Amino acid sequence: MLGVTLTLAGLFSVVVAQVPGFEGCPDVETISTFDVENYMGKWYEQYRYFMIFEAGGKCVTANYSLNNDETVKVVNAQVNSLLGFPSQIEGSARIVDPKDPGKLAVKFPVSPFEGSYWILDTDYDSYAAVWSCQSLLVANTQFAWILTREQNPPQDVIEKAKDAFKKNSISVDLFLKTNQENC
Ligand SMILES: *[C@@H]1O[C@H](CO)[C@@H](O)[C@H](O)[C@H]1NC(C)=O
């Protein structure tokens, strides 16, 4: 185990990374212009890398809205698959450097650390491809999410999101489907 890191869409606490990679985080290309307002609102998590803390979560959603100070309010919600109870966690995100607007940092009150939230690609009204990598001293931990506006989107929407990962040589084989049935 490499340590703990903080996460993003659909995440509820500090997690232990399941997909450790070595050396620094790879270079990826994030979206070059980012219209934060169009990105706001509700997203459904369709796929994610496996994370211990999310195991057992279905109907995972993220709702982003603008705070007055131009940070983004993040509300991640899920339903426990076994017991059926809903839960949510609230955090905030910010664009770290306006010159690189697709790279956000997100923070939840459960952790003192910010996690990275990098938007590889989005068309705002159907899909978003989100990636996170934390560089640790001798390793890194990577997470990835496919978010969609529709709860049950057509496959071509998923493929568009996957293409953003493939273009950056990020594995799509590690994705697990998030259950969005009977929510
Ligand atoms: C998303 O969050 C905003 C701000 O808290 C809220 O006004 C809005 O109703 C929420 N939308 C959904 C779909 O939950």
Side-chain angles (χ1 to χ4, degrees):
M1 291 292 126
L2 293 171
V4 289
T5 187
L6 215 257
T7 74
L8 331 164
L11 252 220
F12 293 83
S13 185
V14 174
V15 297
V16 178
Q18 298 301 295
V19 186
F22 290 92
E23 300 165 10
C25 291
D27 265 342
V28 299
E29 208 173 308
T30 52
I31 197 164
S32 55
T33 59
F34 180 52
D35 181 343
V36 66
E37 276 184 46
N38 272 339
Y39 194 73
M40 298 298 95
K42 191 167 177 180
W43 291 93
Y44 294 90
E45 184 189 84
Q46 298 299 332
Y47 287 89
R48 62 177 178 236
Y49 277 15
F50 178 74
M51 281 167 280
I52 281 182
F53 222 89
E54 275 191 322
K58 66 171 192 173
C59 307
V60 180
T61 60
N63 179 11
Y64 305 120
S65 54
L66 283 175
N67 289 320
N68 290 332
D69 64 357
E70 295 192 1
T71 61
V72 174
K73 180 176 161 189
V74 177
V75 178
N76 291 339
Q78 72 169 9
V79 172
N80 183 288
S81 299
L82 289 179
L83 304 172
F85 61 84
S87 61
Q88 63 176 46
I89 184 169
E90 196 176 310
S92 74
R94 64 189 179 92
I95 293 169
V96 178
D97 176 357
K99 281 187 270 174
D100 227 347
K103 296 183 177 173
L104 283 75
V106 64
K107 194 176 178 316
F108 293 98
V110 291
S111 165
F113 303 109
E114 282 186 309
S116 61
Y117 181 112
W118 288 8
I119 300 163
L120 303 185
D121 195 17
T122 182
D123 65 354
Y124 305 100
D125 54 25
S126 68
Y127 71 92
V130 181
W131 187 69
S132 176
C133 178
Q134 314 292 62
S135 199
L136 305 173
L137 235 38
V138 294
N140 68 58
T141 62
Q142 297 183 33
F143 300 101
W145 295 265
I146 291 174
L147 308 178
T148 60
R149 290 295 194 185
E150 276 184 65
Q151 189 160 25
N152 295 295
Q155 188 59 26
D156 66 302
V157 167
I158 300 294
E159 293 306 322
K160 281 185 205 159
K162 284 189 175 171
D163 284 346
F165 293 101
K166 290 179 190 163
K167 244 175 40 193
N168 282 289
S169 306
I170 297 168
S171 172
V172 295
D173 299 333
L174 300 167
F175 276 126
L176 296 180
K177 178 84 180 82
T178 302
N179 186 353
Q180 293 285 355
E181 304 287 316
N182 305 314
C183 292

